[in-house]
Amino acid sequence: MTLNNLYNLLNEKELKVVIIGHKNPDGDAVGSSLALYHYLFLKKHQVHCMMPDALPPSIKWLHGAERILDYSTQRSRCRKYLREADCIFCLDFNSLGRTEGMQEDLRKANAAKFMIDHHPNPAVEEFDFVWSDTEASATAELVFRFIEQAGDKELINKHIAEALFTGVMTDTGSFAHGCKQPSPFEITAYLINKGLDVTRVHDLVYNSKSESQLKLLGHALYNCLTVIPDYRTAYIALDSDDLQRFNYRKGDTEGLVNYALSMENIIFAVLLVQREDLIRLSFRSKGDFAVNDIARKYFEGGGHKNAAGGNSYKSMDETITDFLDILENYAEELRND
């Protein structure tokens, strides 16, 4: 299916549409999904939005976020809408496996599946339509282009603008990376003219931390940070006791790995967080050191060159040991990058 075929389909009749983001949804997954949700609603389609699990508190303020279904707690409703859907938009992920528990229901769904994403190595065979652009700053940028190329830029209102900007802002670290092209800045300028208040959105996303979240941050940096100067690497490991002590809520560790990366002479940083049945790893890097290779090869994950994630199903100690062993394979690259 071509993009023009997709536009024709959306213009021909009212459709039952489902929009889905990836597990552990971030600002781009939620922002791009809500922007498309509001746009298709204005186009008179029946639209439902769902995520594999709960949203982090920092983006629950977005208009329409309360309508996003949580598959982990609302499975029956989600399955009903998936069965009835005419088409399913998969945003900010490029393999059905990124939805984890949802993937079997997605595979069984008879609806056409449309993927819009900016991560490398898409599983194109899993989708009926693929728009993959690894040069895009965020999936939200691609959703903006999707609306623009449909000739519907005039439909972008304040709510769509805030959702799109949240996606671009969070996925670029407030425009600190992934902005080699002028497009994210041009899009932001356009959104400001549509009612976007940049300062307000930034404050709502980044300046609404709880006391316990700040104390967790202090604890993580003072007690849980390990620096390996010879490899220009640093990692933070938080186990279940750490999380429980500081009343952890989903999203409390968002951005924590960037503190480790912000140190002088560090080009590779990792955050390890213990979940109920796994260790979640978040990788960040500077320059040409590609962390998505490590995530994909060793931790069943993936992502961007400088930002990726993966999982380990071993204990925290075993996972750290494995990570240190893996680090040896990249010793020369880390020393000479």
Side-chain angles (χ1 to χ4, degrees), residues 6 9-10 15-19 85-89 111-114:
L6 178 51
L9 178 65
L10 292 172
L15 299 173
K16 293 180 179 178
V17 180
V18 171
I19 301 170
D86 298 307
C87 57
I88 298 170
F89 281 88
K113 300 176 184 68
F114 308 132

Side-chain angles (χ1 to χ4, degrees), residues 26 32 51 58 62 68 71 76 132 156 178 249 251 266 324 336:
D26 55 14
S32 57
M51 299 287 159
S58 62
L62 280 168
I68 296 178
Y71 177 84
S76 295
S132 175
I156 294 178
R249 297 183 305 163
I266 296 298
L324 295 177
N336 300 324

Side-chain angles (χ1 to χ4, degrees), residues 83-100:
R83 286 194 304 268
E84 296 174 352
D86 298 307
C87 57
I88 298 170
F89 281 88
C90 301
L91 301 188
D92 203 39
F93 66 94
N94 58 20
S95 168
L96 298 185
R98 287 287 284 116
T99 64
E100 295 195 9

Side-chain angles (χ1 to χ4, degrees), residues 56-127:
S58 62
I59 47 180
K60 283 186 175 180
W61 60 270
L62 280 168
H63 185 74
E66 72 283 355
R67 301 175 206 164
I68 296 178
L69 299 173
D70 177 351
Y71 177 84
S72 67
T73 59
Q74 298 171 289
R75 191 160 301 187
S76 295
R77 287 184 66 191
C78 290
R79 284 174 169 169
K80 175 180 183 294
Y81 293 136
L82 287 171
R83 286 194 304 268
E84 296 174 352
D86 298 307
C87 57
I88 298 170
F89 281 88
C90 301
L91 301 188
D92 203 39
F93 66 94
N94 58 20
S95 168
L96 298 185
R98 287 287 284 116
T99 64
E100 295 195 9
M102 287 184 70
Q103 64 177 304
E104 287 308 312
D105 287 328
L106 272 173
R107 292 184 197 283
K108 293 175 183 177
N110 293 321
K113 300 176 184 68
F114 308 132
M115 183 262 279
I116 301 177
D117 180 65
H118 68 136
H119 297 91
N121 307 309
V124 295
E125 71 282 356
E126 296 181 341
F127 304 93

